[in-house]
């Protein structure tokens, strides 16, 4: 390979590694701490995860605010605006899959995570404490939000 061909290959490789487009640049959004308590059927949710997200954030490359739930309490760093809140609490089933990993099942009904209608609005001067009192449906009854 001659010197000019090597230079072209190097220029091409560097442009791919560095990026040559004028794509959207992510800005650092203002984030505030949201906190609160999560209960399920009147009892503190022992452990889980809470997520604050919005379609606008996703479009703009802003990651959702997430936090761990421990003994019912959580804290999450969240960007400003209206958010859908999703709450998860996987429980180990005591069974393993074919690879030896422990299987889990979701303890929180889908109406509070996969199809959540829980909402919170994060503002600079507004309250940022959001408590969630979730309920599970009685056996044999469909999930329905109260």
């Amino acid at each position: 390979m001659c010197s000019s061909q090597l230079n072209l290959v190097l220029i091409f490789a560097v442009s791919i590694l560095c990026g040559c487009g004028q794509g959207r640049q992510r800005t650092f959004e203002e984030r505030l701490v949201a906190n609160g308590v999560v209960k399920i059927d009147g009892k503190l949710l022992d452990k889980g995860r809470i997520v604050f997200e919005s379609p606008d954030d996703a479009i703009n490359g802003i990651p959702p605010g997430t936090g761990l739930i421990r003994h019912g309490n959580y804290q999450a760093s969240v960007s400003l605006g209206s958010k859908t809140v999703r709450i998860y609490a996987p429980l180990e089933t005591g069974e393993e899959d074919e690879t030896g990993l422990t299987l889990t099942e979701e303890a929180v009904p889908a109406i509070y995570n996969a199809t959540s209608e829980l909402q919170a609005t994060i503002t600079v001067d507004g309250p940022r404490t959001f408590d969630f009192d979730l309920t599970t449906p009685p056996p044999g009854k469909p999930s329905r939000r109260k």
Side-chain angles (χ1 to χ4, degrees), residues 95-137:
E95 299 176 21
E96 294 181 351
D97 68 9
E98 60 277 357
T99 65
L101 294 175
T102 302
L103 296 174
T104 61
E105 63 185 17
E106 184 56 54
V108 175
I111 58 172
Y112 304 118
N113 47 58
T115 59
S116 182
E117 294 180 8
L118 298 174
Q119 297 289 309
T121 300
I122 311 299
T123 61
V124 172
D125 54 351
R128 289 187 299 277
T129 297
F130 303 97
D131 295 335
F132 299 98
D133 195 359
L134 316 178
T135 58
T136 56

Side-chain angles (χ1 to χ4, degrees), residues 48-96:
R49 183 172 48 98
I50 190 165
V51 178
F52 293 79
E53 63 184 13
S54 74
D56 289 341
D57 286 352
I59 289 169
N60 292 307
I62 299 170
T66 62
L68 294 177
I69 301 167
R70 295 286 182 240
H71 308 293
N73 296 289
Y74 74 88
Q75 283 190 337
S77 177
V78 184
S79 62
L80 298 173
S82 295
K83 309 295 176 194
T84 297
V85 179
R86 301 182 191 282
I87 299 171
Y88 302 91
L91 292 175
E92 292 183 0
T93 64
E95 299 176 21
E96 294 181 351

Side-chain angles (χ1 to χ4, degrees), residues 39-44 133-135:
K39 293 181 180 179
I40 188 161
D41 296 328
K43 297 178 183 174
L44 294 175
D133 195 359
L134 316 178
T135 58

Side-chain angles (χ1 to χ4, degrees), residues 4-75:
S4 62
Q5 288 175 326
L6 184 59
N7 285 340
L8 286 175
V9 169
L10 286 173
I11 290 171
F12 179 73
V14 168
S15 67
I16 287 177
L17 291 174
C18 295
C20 56
Q22 293 295 324
R24 182 181 300 212
Q25 291 184 349
R26 183 167 174 244
T27 59
F28 290 95
E29 68 285 346
E30 183 172 2
R31 295 180 83 84
L32 300 168
V33 175
N35 60 55
V37 174
V38 179
K39 293 181 180 179
I40 188 161
D41 296 328
K43 297 178 183 174
L44 294 175
L45 183 62
D46 189 46
K47 62 182 178 178
R49 183 172 48 98
I50 190 165
V51 178
F52 293 79
E53 63 184 13
S54 74
D56 289 341
D57 286 352
I59 289 169
N60 292 307
I62 299 170
T66 62
L68 294 177
I69 301 167
R70 295 286 182 240
H71 308 293
N73 296 289
Y74 74 88
Q75 283 190 337

